[in-house]
Amino acid sequence: MSSTPQSKIALIHAEEAAAQEAAQDSARADKRKGLFLRFGLGVAVAALAYGGYDYFVASRHVETDNAYVGADVAQISAQISAPVQQVLVQDTATVRAGDVLIRLEDTDARLALARAQADLALTLRRVRGLSATDMGLGAQVAARAADQARADAALIAARADADRAAIDLKRREALAASGSVSGEELSSARNAAATAQANLRSAQAAVALAAANRDAAAGTREANRVLIDGTAPDTHPEVLAARAALEQARVNLERTVIRAPFDGVVTRRTAQVGQRAEPGKALMVVVPVQTAYVDANFKEVQLTKVRAGQKVTLTSDLYGSGVVYHGTVVGFSGGTGAAFAVVPAQNATGNWIKVVQRLPVRIALEPKELAAHPLRVGLSMTADIDIAR
């Protein structure tokens, strides 16, 4: 049976539809292949970019935002006990090194200084008196030596008199048996001999007394000389001690004026007029903002290649990324923050979980950049260390 024109047209349309569908399927397949190819190319480019970034950038830098500004603050306290007379600064005030912060009542310090000056003058006079006393004691020793010489001479004379009286007595006693000497004359000779012996003993006692007096005078002079031997009045130990007491009194008077130890900003002021300042009790704190540093707490796994002297770039939350600071790694803390915590972690338990520790790294900042954009203690920072150098 022969086909009609209509059926032939329908067949042609069907064939055309099938061809179009096949073409569309081929186009979709080509499109999918292109998409997969572009996706694979994108993944490869991303992997290559990541690898390049990791090799050329990330592997040469370590970064943390766990970093904070610090400074070696000065705690201002009195070094003597005295009432506060004046407080010349308030919190947030900027001070220069040497500026007066607090004045203490100085009446007691001035009196102590005057007393120390008087003590020094008295000590100098006493020491000079010791030198003069030495001269007087020397004269006494010479006088006692002369007394001893006179006593020695008197002893010689008394011994001679005693010998002569003894001889005269023996002669008269020898003559008394023959009656040539009267009893009265013999008694007189005996009395003269006894008197001569008494004078001899008195002379001997006088010699002993003179020797003792000379030794006493010599001992007194030696004791006085020990106090001044080898020293001048200005270098005498008592004078030096009095002069040291005077210097201490002068220093205490100077300490009634409390000054700023360096440039900085005043904070935590507790000093009030009338309050009694005691040594060691904090009155205020001065923060040296121009010498601030940064303590960056890096993870322990980041510190393998970090060394002192490496350069650091930093940004602060205060100024944002528009202000970049440059610094240098100074050193590392002696332990992690957990190790120096008030209550250190106790890992010797059954429920221990490993936690990556952080070690503070001290970073010094450029002074010129700090002067241009001052920082305050405790501000947050982001630190990036170039470990390629």
Side-chain angles (χ1 to χ4, degrees), residues 301-379:
V301 296
Q302 294 178 292
L303 298 176
T304 305
K305 297 181 180 180
V306 176
R307 300 289 183 271
Q310 291 173 336
K311 298 302 179 181
V312 188
T313 56
L314 307 100
T315 57
S316 70
D317 291 356
L318 175 64
Y319 297 109
S321 59
V323 176
V324 178
Y325 296 88
H326 298 85
T328 304
V329 175
V330 176
F332 305 87
S333 175
T336 65
F340 293 117
V342 177
V343 182
Q346 181 55 261
N347 294 330
T349 60
N351 58 352
W352 172 76
I353 298 175
K354 182 176 181 179
V355 177
V356 176
Q357 299 299 311
R358 290 181 179 267
L359 186 70
V361 177
R362 179 65 55 86
I363 300 171
L365 301 175
E366 292 291 337
K368 291 182 179 179
E369 296 176 349
L370 272 177
H373 299 91
L375 295 171
R376 294 295 186 266
V377 173
L379 291 179

Side-chain angles (χ1 to χ4, degrees), residues 126-163:
R126 183 167 61 251
V127 171
R128 293 191 181 108
L130 291 176
S131 299
T133 300
D134 183 70
M135 297 176 61
L137 292 175
Q140 288 186 16
V141 170
R144 296 297 178 266
D147 291 343
Q148 185 178 10
R150 185 167 57 251
D152 290 338
L155 176 61
I156 293 172
R159 186 175 287 115
D161 291 341
D163 291 343

Side-chain angles (χ1 to χ4, degrees), residues 68-270:
Y68 304 94
V69 178
D72 296 325
V73 302
Q75 180 172 283
I76 305 301
S77 61
Q79 294 178 293
I80 61 172
S81 177
V84 175
Q85 187 177 55
Q86 273 184 301
V87 181
L88 303 177
V89 294
Q90 301 293 333
D91 278 342
T92 72
T94 299
V95 295
R96 297 289 184 183
D99 287 353
V100 178
L101 305 177
I102 298 173
R103 294 185 187 275
L104 303 179
E105 172 62 46
D106 60 359
T107 302
D108 292 341
R110 291 185 182 279
L111 292 175
L113 178 60
R115 186 164 52 250
Q117 291 172 334
D119 289 343
L120 176 59
L122 288 174
T123 303
L124 277 170
R125 292 187 179 186
R126 183 167 61 251
V127 171
R128 293 191 181 108
L130 291 176
S131 299
T133 300
D134 183 70
M135 297 176 61
L137 292 175
Q140 288 186 16
V141 170
R144 296 297 178 266
D147 291 343
Q148 185 178 10
R150 185 167 57 251
D152 290 338
L155 176 61
I156 293 172
R159 186 175 287 115
D161 291 341
D163 291 343
R164 186 172 55 253
I167 292 171
D168 188 52
L169 177 59
K170 287 181 180 179
R171 186 183 299 119
R172 281 171 172 72
E173 286 177 343
L175 295 174
S178 61
S180 300
V181 177
S182 64
E184 183 179 356
E185 188 177 354
L186 181 60
S187 295
S188 296
R190 286 174 177 170
N191 290 335
T195 301
Q197 286 295 326
N199 290 338
L200 176 61
R201 288 191 291 273
S202 177
Q204 290 173 337
V207 169
L209 178 61
N213 288 338
R214 180 184 178 183
D215 291 342
T220 302
R221 185 185 185 189
E222 186 64 25
N224 185 78
R225 181 166 289 179
V226 168
L227 298 176
I228 60 174
D229 191 29
T231 62
D234 287 339
T235 59
H236 192 275
E238 291 185 14
V239 175
L240 294 178
R243 187 170 286 118
L246 175 60
E247 291 301 319
Q248 183 63 61
R250 185 174 288 112
V251 169
N252 287 343
L253 179 58
E254 292 175 355
R255 287 174 174 172
T256 59
V257 179
I258 302 176
R259 301 179 181 274
F262 42 65
D263 297 352
V265 175
V266 175
T267 186
R268 293 171 59 187
R269 196 209 88 169
T270 60

